């Protein structure tokens, strides 16, 4: 049975904005994959896996069941990824002039992925309501480090029949400290095209990546 991860991110009982962000980041198996690739000196492949995590952990695709409740400035939410056990933390740093959120995922083996986003507000366009968020991410694993910057826009696609969808689009530029560099472009269909160095572009379908097969997701206590 396939489980829609957006139903996990927006559970029927409701959730706060930070709770949604934390659950959105519960895809740290991509970081665990990157750590394994680094152990085999496959740095370009590792950078690709981290780039996919960066965009997957920042976006959602599927039914927009409801608007999460807002948190107060300074609030912190922390949960473990139920698949990997990684600790994920999100904090609302400020709400004016923009919502500024910081977050961190720490694998059990010690590697970290940290980031921040500034939600600039809501734009109105022909395709829906957009919420652009300039973002920056840093991944650390021992002496290895990778940095990612760009803007990812979450978008509510409205429907006359009440079937509102959430999706995203945008791009990231990234590099690591061993000479690899690349670019990721995400379209509204959930296709993330990744180009690293002079290697061929590889496209990942996030809508499929973000489904989990045969797993019951539930937050793990700290």
């Amino acid at each position: 049975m396939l489980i829609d991860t957006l139903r996990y991110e927006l559970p029927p009982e409701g959730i706060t904005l930070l709770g949604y962000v934390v659950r959105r980041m519960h895809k740290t198996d991509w970081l665990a994959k990157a750590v394994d690739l680094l152990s085999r000196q496959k740095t370009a492949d590792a950078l690709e896996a981290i780039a996919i995590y960066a965009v997957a952990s920042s976006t959602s695709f599927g039914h927009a069941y409801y608007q999460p409740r807002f948190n107060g400035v300074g609030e912190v939410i922390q949960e473990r990824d139920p698949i990997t056990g990684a600790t994920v933390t999100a904090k609302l740093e400020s709400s004016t002039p923009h919502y500024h959120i910081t977050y961190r995922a720490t694998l059990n083996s010690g590697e970290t992925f940290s980031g921040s986003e500034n939600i600039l507000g809501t734009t109105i366009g022909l395709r829906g309501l957009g919420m652009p968020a300039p973002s920056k991410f840093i991944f650390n694993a021992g002496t290895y480090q990778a940095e990612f910057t760009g803007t990812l826009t979450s978008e509510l696609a409205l429907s006359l029949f009440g079937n509102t969808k959430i999706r995203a689009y945008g791009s990231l530029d990234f590099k690591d400290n061993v000479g690899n560099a690349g670019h990721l472009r995400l379209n509204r269909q959930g296709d993330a095209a990744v180009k690293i160095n002079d290697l061929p572009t590889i496209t990942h379908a996030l809508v499929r990546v973000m489904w989990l097969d045969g797993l019951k997701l539930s937050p793990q206590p700290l």
Side-chain angles (χ1 to χ4, degrees):
M1 178 180 178
L2 291 173
I3 299 173
D4 183 354
T5 58
L6 191 55
R7 180 76 279 184
Y8 172 69
E9 295 165 6
L10 297 174
E13 64 271 19
I15 201 166
T16 66
L17 175 62
L18 291 180
Y20 161 70
V21 169
V22 165
R23 289 196 174 192
R24 195 180 65 185
M25 293 178 67
H26 283 176
K27 306 176 181 97
T28 56
D29 47 336
W30 280 96
L31 298 181
K33 178 179 180 180
V35 171
D36 176 66
L37 290 165
L38 288 173
S39 72
R40 293 184 278 131
Q41 307 302 312
K42 295 184 176 183
T43 57
D45 292 336
L47 185 60
E48 178 187 342
I50 304 163
I52 292 300
Y53 176 75
V55 70
S57 66
S58 303
T59 61
S60 293
F61 288 84
H63 294 289
Y65 297 105
Y66 55 81
Q67 170 69 52
R69 302 184 305 274
F70 289 105
N71 297 89
V73 173
E75 281 192 62
V76 176
I77 297 291
Q78 187 177 75
E79 287 182 354
R80 291 192 185 277
D81 186 328
I83 305 303
T84 66
T87 302
V88 179
T89 305
K91 180 180 180 180
L92 180 60
E93 301 286 352
S94 65
S95 60
T96 56
H98 309 298
Y99 273 84
H100 176 49
I101 300 172
T102 58
Y103 31 75
R104 184 182 184 93
T106 304
L107 298 178
N108 293 334
S109 49
E111 297 81 11
T112 61
F113 177 94
S114 58
S116 66
E117 63 181 61
N118 285 288
I119 303 173
L120 299 182
T122 302
T123 61
I124 301 174
L126 295 177
R127 297 198 179 192
L129 304 178
M131 289 158 280
S135 303
K136 181 176 181 179
F137 314 103
I138 297 175
F139 177 77
N140 285 292
T143 60
Y144 179 85
Q145 184 177 90
E147 297 183 2
F148 307 76
T149 58
T151 297
L152 298 170
T153 299
S154 293
E155 186 175 69
L156 290 176
L158 306 179
S159 169
L160 295 176
F161 303 101
N163 190 20
T164 302
K165 297 289 186 67
I166 186 170
R167 60 192 181 192
Y169 63 93
S171 63
L172 293 173
D173 291 304
F174 49 88
K175 62 182 179 180
D176 63 20
N177 61 348
V178 295
N180 299 302
H183 180 78
L184 181 152
R185 182 166 296 278
L186 174 68
N187 65 23
R188 289 177 170 87
Q189 289 70 49
D191 299 318
V194 184
K195 173 72 173 178
I196 297 178
N197 302 333
D198 295 325
L199 300 172
T201 299
I202 297 177
T203 300
H204 296 266
L206 292 192
V207 175
R208 291 197 295 270
V209 166
M210 292 159 56
W211 286 59
L212 300 176
D213 191 2
L215 297 171
K216 181 179 180 181
L217 295 178
S218 60
Q220 293 185 356
L222 294 171

